[in-house]
Amino acid sequence: MTQAKGNGAGAGTDFDAVVVGAGVAGLYQLHKLREMGLKVQSIDAASDVGGTWYWNCYPGARVDSQSYIYQYWFSDELVNEWNWSERFPGQPETERYLNFVADKLDLRKDIRFNTRVTGAEWDEAAARWTIRTDKGDTLTAQFFISCAGMLSAPKVPPFPGHEKFKGIIAHTARYPREGIDLKGKRVGVVGTGATGIQVIQTVAKEAGELKVFQRTPQYAVPMRNPKYNDADRAQFKAKAHELENLVNHTFAGFDFDVLPESWYDLTPEQRRAKLEEIWADGSLSFWVGSFPEVLTDEKVGEEVSEWVREKIRARIDDPELAEKLVPYHYSFGTYRVPLENGFYDAFNQDNVELVEVKENPIECFTETGLKLASGEEYELDVVILATGFDAGTGALTRMDIHGRNGVSLTEEWSKDIRSTLGLQVSGFPNLFTVAGPLAPSTAFCNMTTCLQQQVDWVTDCIAYLRDKHAKSIEPTVEKQDEWVEHHDEVANATLLVRTNSWYTGANIEGKPRRLLSYIGGVGHYRQVCDDIKASGYQGFSIA
Ligand code: NAP
């Protein structure tokens, strides 16, 4: 992997903008603001660019958006020079892509690596942010822009004893970059979300013994991942502008949309044929390119869930085991749908054992492994924690941000998670929260589509303020209330709010419940953002 080629920390302490994060959003934000002539400092805790694709270097990590739409559109040069090797590239290739972009645009000179923001306060008199880092630096900036990611604050599970365990413990989002030799080892994987599934199907081929600690089974969809040749790539490059326009207006920012036909207009045979057709595509289209009723109508949700259960059962040799691997207590698509590539087949191998920990939870680490509430012990050399994230809000609440009158964002969001379009928060002037909660970018989007749209919005907003010689912008309380109310109305009409997962904050004890992602459609969200810009930021206070 590419190593950091410099550490842009020599540029003083006072900036027009400080950007946190050097992943997909942060790199683009730095580029756009620099292009406008702003003095920008980016900060990232990692030792190099990549964000999610830097940290999540666990075995089997892979993008599950199609590569030809998981890219930047703003530069024909970037589009034409980069060559994706397959439909769903692995983490190393995706990380290489972001390094390629950083090199091309010479971004590293303005990024402080190995540095974490530990606090930020709004200075009302100066109309600027004061930002502190764990390196003891204090910076100031007119604009403070978090591009710190919606899945970047790892959740360490609530069972004690880490320090006792004599083996290796690795959270997937903090996996050692040099890897861990798992050959022939006794490996435990805790968690069977999208990440755990990728780990399990990969590690099963290598480990001596693999114990899978499952609390909630998933409806995973088989991934179809063809390699690309020059002709394929040429075809995607030729239609890049068309693809860009398409993804910006679909339900979830992909190059497919929700099916135009209603479930109820088709016969049972026609429905099954349609399901088979989108299943065969081997992508997330089975989820966000399916019948509109799947996520809103209990009866349709159950029929589709049972259809998927049948697919899963057919993959497992032992019918009793199969029943443990199919979900029953939530509806298909209401927990982020994982794509799999051999996950179910792994359970037909002799070296893989499923350990159910819903009724009999993991109690603690011991010196030699993990112990369940029943007293049963599992001896392990390596424990991989695929236990997820404090999603949407975690990256921001861990930064200790204080807005007007010293109000703490962490405290505010510990009571109720509110934002305006996931982009700004009332009471926090000039703070922009790219991938913040209550926008499609929290989870219901091909991330590159939504992040580019949000960065463009932030950039245009800053350009507008500078044009007007204005010092600050923030949403009014009324504007924020209006957005939160609309967000909730859309969310509450879906089945998603009934399922406990990170989507609703249910995976973090005490976190206020609310669907974290806006689910009214990427195209619609874009329109709302565009309308605000066109109106001269109506509903926002500009000073
Ligand atoms: P996740 O979906 O939150 O899954 C965490 C898993 O850990 C769940 O199975 C959870 O069980 C389990 N868990 C948590 N605490 C536990 C405990 N104390 N004991 C036993 N099990 C425990 O997290 P994730 O799999 O990291 O995925 C997060 C998101 O990252 C995905 O939904 C997706 O958006 C993104 N992702 C994307 C890609 C990609 O290719 N683009 C790949 C991987 C992940 P419960 O469900 O019962 O809580």
Side-chain angles (χ1 to χ4, degrees):
M1 274 166 204
T2 316
Q3 288 304 304
K5 294 184 184 92
N7 195 358
T13 55
D14 300 318
F15 299 90
D16 294 318
V18 163
V19 176
V20 187
V24 170
L27 292 178
Y28 184 44
Q29 186 68 79
L30 169 60
H31 169 66
K32 292 291 279 185
L33 294 178
R34 243 175 35 176
E35 233 185 7
M36 265 170 58
L38 266 65
K39 187 178 172 196
V40 189
Q41 176 70 73
S42 288
I43 299 178
D44 200 299
S47 67
D48 207 339
V49 300
T52 281
W53 301 108
Y54 170 95
W55 292 109
N56 287 274
C57 54
Y58 57 82
R62 189 170 290 284
V63 193
D64 51 17
S65 291
Q66 291 85 332
S67 54
Y68 58 84
I69 55 160
Y70 198 87
Q71 59 177 335
Y72 297 110
W73 303 111
F74 67 91
S75 154
D76 286 347
E77 201 181 332
L78 291 180
V79 170
N80 289 325
E81 283 188 22
W82 184 255
N83 293 311
W84 293 110
S85 70
E86 55 188 340
R87 192 183 191 208
F88 297 107
Q91 172 269 335
E93 184 169 345
T94 316
E95 190 186 19
R96 275 199 303 279
Y97 170 66
L98 293 169
N99 275 272
F100 155 78
V101 173
D103 287 340
K104 279 299 262 190
L105 304 174
D106 193 15
L107 295 176
R108 287 192 182 79
K109 66 176 185 224
D110 290 312
I111 307 173
R112 289 181 199 209
F113 292 108
N114 300 306
T115 305
R116 188 174 284 282
V117 171
T118 51
E121 286 100 38
W122 173 247
D123 178 342
E124 183 78 39
R128 291 176 71 79
W129 283 92
T130 304
I131 296 138
R132 286 173 281 106
T133 76
D134 64 350
K135 293 282 180 296
D137 302 324
T138 302
L139 315 178
T140 78
Q142 184 182 4
F143 303 105
F144 180 42
I145 307 168
S146 170
C147 296
M150 78 317 173
L151 290 162
S152 56
K155 181 196 162 197
V156 178
F159 39 87
H162 289 216
E163 66 295 340
K164 265 193 232 153
F165 182 54
K166 295 240 163 63
I168 300 172
I169 304 173
H171 189 285
T172 47
R174 292 292 178 271
Y175 206 79
R177 287 179 65 78
E178 64 283 9
I180 303 172
D181 181 9
L182 301 173
K183 216 176 194 152
K185 299 266 166 57
R186 297 168 304 174
V187 180
V189 176
V190 183
T192 51
T195 303
I197 283 175
Q198 292 186 335
V199 174
I200 291 156
Q201 67 197 15
T202 309
V203 168
K205 296 181 189 131
E206 202 183 342
E209 289 172 25
L210 174 61
K211 309 289 180 211
V212 175
F213 296 87
Q214 173 187 269
R215 200 162 65 178
T216 303
Q218 291 286 341
Y219 298 99
V221 173
M223 170 188 275
R224 201 175 61 79
N225 191 17
K227 300 277 182 222
Y228 287 152
N229 59 29
D230 286 343
D232 299 321
R233 286 186 281 266
Q235 192 204 339
F236 294 130
K237 287 175 191 191
K239 61 175 190 180
H241 291 294
E242 196 186 311
L243 283 168
E244 176 187 8
N245 188 47
L246 179 62
V247 300
N248 283 340
H249 296 97
T250 56
F251 173 59
F254 289 85
D255 59 332
F256 48 76
D257 215 335
V258 176
L259 293 174
E261 53 267 64
S262 163
W263 175 267
Y264 290 105
D265 290 342
L266 303 186
T267 64
E269 292 71 32
Q270 288 170 326
R271 290 170 192 158
R272 278 197 294 274
K274 199 74 207 170
L275 290 176
E276 287 290 358
E277 186 187 316
I278 45 175
W279 183 263
D281 186 57
S283 73
L284 291 177
S285 65
F286 191 81
W287 175 39
V288 283
S290 180
F291 292 96
E293 294 89 350
V294 170
L295 300 179
T296 54
D297 183 319
E298 203 171 331
K299 188 167 162 292
V300 177
E302 177 48 29
E303 280 196 47
V304 173
S305 299
E306 185 50 29
W307 191 92
V308 179
R309 286 182 205 121
E310 269 307 307
K311 292 281 188 195
I312 298 172
R313 289 181 192 116
R315 298 270 297 279
I316 313 291
D317 296 344
D318 172 356
E320 246 179 71
L321 176 61
E323 283 312 299
K324 296 177 181 171
L325 285 162
V326 291
Y328 282 101
H329 71 278
Y330 68 94
S331 194
F332 173 83
T334 61
Y335 197 125
R336 159 62 148 80
V337 173
L339 295 183
E340 61 84 27
N341 224 330
F343 170 70
Y344 292 113
D345 313 306
F347 291 93
N348 296 329
Q349 291 177 204
D350 291 340
N351 65 332
V352 179
E353 184 189 344
L354 183 74
V355 183
E356 288 186 290
V357 293
K358 179 124 184 119
E359 310 303 335
N360 182 17
I362 300 170
E363 192 173 81
C364 61
F365 280 96
T366 63
E367 275 191 20
T368 54
L370 286 170
K371 185 172 157 194
L372 307 190
S374 61
E376 225 169 319
E377 291 195 30
Y378 289 86
E379 301 219 329
L380 301 163
D381 303 309
V382 180
V383 176
I384 302 177
L385 299 172
T387 44
F389 301 86
D390 182 355
T393 55
L396 285 151
T397 54
R398 289 178 191 192
M399 261 191 269
D400 195 23
I401 298 170
H402 293 258
R404 178 169 288 122
N405 302 320
V407 170
S408 153
L409 186 65
T410 309
E411 273 175 41
E412 290 293 290
W413 280 359
S414 72
K415 292 177 257 168
D416 194 8
I417 298 165
R418 305 180 81 76
S419 84
T420 310
L421 296 137
L423 282 164
Q424 279 218 284
V425 184
S426 185
F428 296 81
N430 291 2
L431 168 68
F432 293 98
T433 54
V434 175
L438 315 195
S441 56
T442 322
F444 239 86
C445 189
N446 167 40
M447 289 309 291
T448 50
T449 305
C450 288
L451 296 177
Q452 287 178 87
Q453 180 264 334
Q454 289 196 314
V455 167
D456 285 339
W457 191 88
V458 171
T459 308
D460 290 345
C461 180
I462 290 175
Y464 179 87
L465 296 178
R466 289 176 85 83
D467 197 42
K468 299 268 178 243
H469 302 289
K471 287 187 176 159
S472 67
I473 185 165
E474 71 176 291
T476 61
V477 173
E478 294 73 28
K479 183 74 186 171
Q480 185 154 293
D481 289 348
E482 181 190 306
W483 179 252
V484 175
E485 198 182 314
H486 168 66
H487 168 92
D488 286 353
E489 196 184 324
V490 178
N492 292 336
T494 71
L495 303 172
L496 275 86
V497 290
R498 303 188 196 172
T499 295
N500 285 336
S501 82
W502 68 262
Y503 267 17
T504 52
N507 66 329
I508 302 291
E509 214 184 314
K511 187 164 174 169
R513 294 293 180 92
R514 167 165 278 133
L515 191 65
L516 288 166
S517 191
Y518 177 64
I519 192 174
V522 165
H524 176 68
Y525 175 81
R526 167 178 288 269
Q527 192 59 52
V528 175
C529 292
D530 286 352
D531 290 347
I532 288 172
K533 177 184 149 190
S535 74
Y537 301 90
Q538 253 180 34
F540 289 67
S541 305
I542 295 181

